[in-house]
Amino acid sequence: MNSLIRLTDIQLVLLATAAQRDNGSLLPPPDAVGEGPARIRKVVEQLIRRGLAAEVDLPSGADAWRTDGLRSIGVVITDAGRAAIGVEPEEAEEPATDLPEPEVTPIAEAPSPAAHSKSALVLEMLRRESGATLDELISATNWLPHTTRAALTGLRKKGNAIDRRKRGEVTCYHLGNQA
């Protein structure tokens, strides 16, 4: 195993299981993992961010990681993921037998995983001409009020100029011109 890449037990299990599957899919997770869907989602997102897994278009009926309109998107192990667990990429070149083979077309110039984060959503909302109220940010992110305010503070600390204005009687937050 590559000593430079540190993996948690659950990451190892997901990658090893995917490497053994003919289609390389991380889903469904093996029963031995014993983690809930929220934990699995978080671990898979980490693997995607690290380049050890990638999103691909799937045929309908396969285990989808997420959907985008009518598209089913799955998650498969990458060559970097195979290398991280010490599996040669050539070992995975067998034809599929039990699951449909995913269409191995990477999502066309997908934005970085950070673009799908809640912080990125907050920044996007702050860029709007109307900005965003605290209540709008809370309902979009599903955060508590104190968490939302802390996120705004964190964005300021990262160098984003966040201005407060009034929209009627309500305080509205806007992203300044330097961001």
Side-chain angles (χ1 to χ4, degrees):
M1 186 183 328
N2 188 338
S3 62
L4 297 177
I5 297 179
R6 298 189 122 191
L7 299 171
T8 64
D9 290 342
I10 190 170
Q11 289 172 332
L12 282 169
V13 170
L14 288 175
L15 290 174
T17 302
Q20 292 173 2
R21 292 181 175 150
D22 293 330
N23 63 0
S25 177
L26 271 69
L27 301 175
D31 293 333
V33 171
E35 298 286 339
R39 177 69 179 135
I40 297 293
R41 176 166 284 285
K42 187 173 184 176
V43 170
V44 171
E45 287 171 349
Q46 292 169 350
L47 292 172
I48 291 170
R49 255 192 319 274
R50 294 175 71 182
L52 304 176
E55 292 183 332
V56 294
D57 285 324
L58 290 178
S60 61
D63 286 314
W65 157 248
R66 64 184 180 92
T67 57
D68 184 17
L70 297 176
R71 289 180 26 208
S72 293
I73 300 171
V75 179
V76 296
I77 189 170
T78 62
D79 287 343
R82 291 179 197 284
I85 60 171
V87 174
E88 294 296 319
E90 294 78 31
E91 292 179 22
E93 299 298 325
E94 299 173 16
T97 56
D98 59 342
L99 293 174
E101 185 73 25
E103 194 177 302
V104 189
T105 323
I107 306 303
E109 299 195 24
S112 66
H116 297 295
S117 70
K118 289 184 180 181
S119 293
L121 173 63
V122 169
L123 282 171
E124 183 180 319
M125 292 177 72
L126 295 176
R127 283 188 185 103
R128 299 183 307 193
E129 187 176 323
S130 63
T133 66
L134 187 62
D135 288 337
E136 290 170 345
L137 294 170
I138 289 168
S139 73
T141 59
N142 210 19
W143 286 335
L144 295 171
H146 68 276
T147 306
T148 307
R149 285 189 293 271
L152 291 171
T153 300
L155 290 171
R156 282 186 187 106
K157 286 183 178 182
K158 289 180 181 177
N160 294 294
I162 299 175
D163 303 326
R164 280 189 298 211
R165 301 179 192 158
K166 288 285 188 175
R167 189 190 309 157
E169 295 292 317
V170 180
T171 300
C172 192
Y173 298 92
H174 295 266
L175 197 57
N177 293 334
Q178 68 185 40

